[in-house]
Amino acid sequence: MNLPLYLCYFFLLVAFFCCAFLCGVLFFACTLAWVRAVDGGHSPWEINEALELLKVRVLLADPHWYRTMWDDQPATLMWMLRGWFAVTGASVEAARVLVTVLMPLALSAVAARAESMAGRWAGLALAPLLLVNPELTQLLGACMLEPSSIALALMGSMLFWSRIERPAGWAIVGAGAVTAWALSVKLTAALPSQVAFWVFLHALWRARRGDRVLRLRILGNAVLFGGVAIGGAGLLLAAGGHDWSTVRDSHVRGVFGEDGLAGLHERTNTRALADAWWEAYASLALVPTSLLLAWRHPRIWRWVFPWAMTLLVSTGVLWAYPFWHNYYLIHVALPMTALVAPTVALTARALWGLQRTLDRQRNGEGRDAGTTGRSLLGW
């Protein structure tokens, strides 16, 4: 049976976009696999991964015992791993594969959004900026609460960002549901999820003098997204048998410690945060240039502003938090990398344009020289 020509072209187009997306995902997954192969499968996060696998064993043995031991940490990731292990078998390698699938999907969503807002090659800039830091690269594929929750939070936020000015629909509900899923894995997913809040504020500010219908649409989408995200997270916590007050005390009130703001100067994480910023040196060096470009180009400012505010707020929260874990560097490195991606893209495009201009000039000079030589020879 022969298909019409237009259907053949349609299927070829779909296959092309699917292959392009899968190549981006497979590139990052293969990079993580290569890092694992080079270090023999070892990771600086092995102790943390072992704790998560221990939680799975405890949950399988007695869910009530799990809630007693970890009353402030929902078992969402543990249930995910339990279902995954039913297919693959229980091992740290299988657990890493699950996270290695989630994280490239999230980064692909960020890259796609960067391409649509900051121009071509902005998404491609994410990979080299992230891979410069080997510790971060291994963290992105580690079976831990932090990378798993952040991957889901980024997917929800990027979906909300792409639909905020469009009529409300199931996409906004889906974005809120994915964000609720992220918050139920770990409440620190609120740090990367805040990019959706800054996107909402900036979209509302841009529409301040525009159509009233557009402003109401943006506001309605934000309320729907936030309601589904917060309400869904609460329902998932309640379904797991967790006391919301305990989770609130450990994750919210814990930021201020027992002595509140009075003892803040004695327990800040200034040195640890400075190290985390320095470890993202490749992106850090480009931050001033990105802010300058955003100031001169409103389109780039739409991309830079949410990430800059996310980086600023996350840094402030982690600076005041009474505890510090090395894997918190992910909350610094990811928004900083997204913030500076347009700088790399614009620089690459400028260099590419300069190279093409020089090539055209050389070709023109060659043609002129040839014409002059033929005229002198009388040809």
Side-chain angles (χ1 to χ4, degrees):
M1 177 180 178
N2 295 326
L3 290 174
L5 187 60
Y6 70 90
L7 283 180
C8 295
Y9 285 136
F10 172 75
F11 287 132
L12 285 174
L13 185 64
V14 171
F16 171 77
F17 282 110
C18 289
C19 288
F21 175 77
L22 290 175
C23 284
V25 175
L26 289 174
F27 169 75
F28 201 85
C30 291
T31 303
L32 290 176
W34 177 77
V35 171
R36 296 293 187 192
V38 169
D39 63 11
H42 297 292
S43 169
W45 316 105
E46 286 181 342
I47 296 178
N48 303 87
E49 291 179 314
L51 179 60
E52 304 306 329
L53 295 180
L54 174 62
K55 291 179 183 178
V56 177
R57 296 293 298 272
V58 173
L59 183 66
L60 291 174
D62 187 352
H64 179 72
W65 184 20
Y66 175 89
R67 289 194 297 270
T68 302
M69 296 181 66
W70 292 283
D71 57 348
D72 63 335
Q73 294 185 9
T76 306
L77 179 61
M78 282 68 253
W79 287 112
M80 291 167 59
L81 289 174
R82 178 183 179 181
W84 181 250
F85 288 161
V87 177
T88 64
S91 67
V92 66
E93 290 79 12
R96 288 171 177 170
V97 168
L98 177 62
V99 181
T100 304
V101 169
L102 289 176
M103 187 57 73
L105 286 174
L107 294 178
S108 297
V110 176
R113 195 64 196 153
E115 293 279 342
S116 64
M117 298 195 65
R120 290 180 303 168
W121 300 352
L124 294 177
L126 291 173
L129 289 171
L130 288 173
L131 297 177
V132 164
N133 188 344
E135 191 174 20
L136 176 65
T137 304
Q138 291 177 316
L139 177 59
L140 295 177
C143 173
M144 295 166 54
L145 294 174
E146 215 74 21
S148 305
S149 63
I150 287 177
L152 294 169
L154 289 176
M155 283 189 272
S157 297
M158 293 303 104
L159 181 57
F160 171 74
W161 197 342
S162 66
R163 305 292 300 185
I164 185 171
E165 296 183 358
R166 300 183 184 183
W170 287 108
I172 296 293
V173 176
V178 174
T179 304
W181 186 6
L183 293 171
S184 70
V185 173
K186 192 173 184 180
L187 283 183
T188 50
L191 293 178
S193 295
Q194 66 174 300
V195 70
F197 173 73
W198 300 115
V199 165
F200 157 68
L201 284 186
H202 190 258
L204 201 60
W205 181 82
R206 288 178 54 245
R208 69 192 185 281
R209 298 177 182 175
D211 187 5
R212 181 173 178 270
V213 175
L214 178 60
R215 291 197 300 272
L216 292 177
R217 182 185 301 164
I218 292 172
L219 183 60
N221 284 340
V223 170
L224 178 60
F225 169 79
V228 173
I230 298 174
L235 289 175
L236 288 172
L237 287 172
H242 289 274
D243 184 2
W244 176 250
S245 62
T246 303
V247 177
R248 179 198 62 202
D249 290 343
S250 63
H251 287 79
V252 181
R253 292 180 59 185
V255 172
F256 300 101
E258 297 179 356
D259 50 359
L261 295 175
L264 183 63
H265 67 281
E266 299 178 356
R267 54 181 177 81
T268 53
N269 300 308
T270 305
R271 178 61 183 274
L273 266 175
D275 292 341
W277 275 64
W278 175 247
E279 288 176 2
Y281 61 89
S283 301
L284 180 61
L286 299 173
V287 168
T289 307
S290 293
L291 295 177
L292 180 61
L293 285 172
W295 177 60
R296 296 297 301 272
H297 299 278
R299 182 181 177 185
I300 297 180
W301 176 251
R302 292 174 57 190
W303 172 261
V304 168
F305 171 75
W307 292 111
M309 294 304 300
T310 299
L311 176 62
L312 183 63
V313 173
S314 299
T315 299
V317 170
L318 295 177
W319 177 73
Y321 202 68
F323 310 103
W324 176 264
H325 304 287
N326 286 338
Y327 51 77
Y328 284 167
L329 67 90
I330 195 173
H331 292 291
V332 172
L334 284 181
M336 190 184 298
T337 300
L339 190 156
V340 304
T343 300
V344 179
L346 288 176
T347 303
R349 291 212 304 270
L351 292 175
W352 176 257
L354 178 61
Q355 180 64 40
R356 294 185 64 183
T357 301
L358 293 175
D359 289 342
R360 285 196 295 267
Q361 290 178 351
R362 283 196 294 266
N363 292 335
E365 292 172 356
R367 285 193 298 269
D368 293 341
T371 302
T372 302
R374 285 193 296 270
S375 63
L376 291 176
L377 292 174
W379 290 358

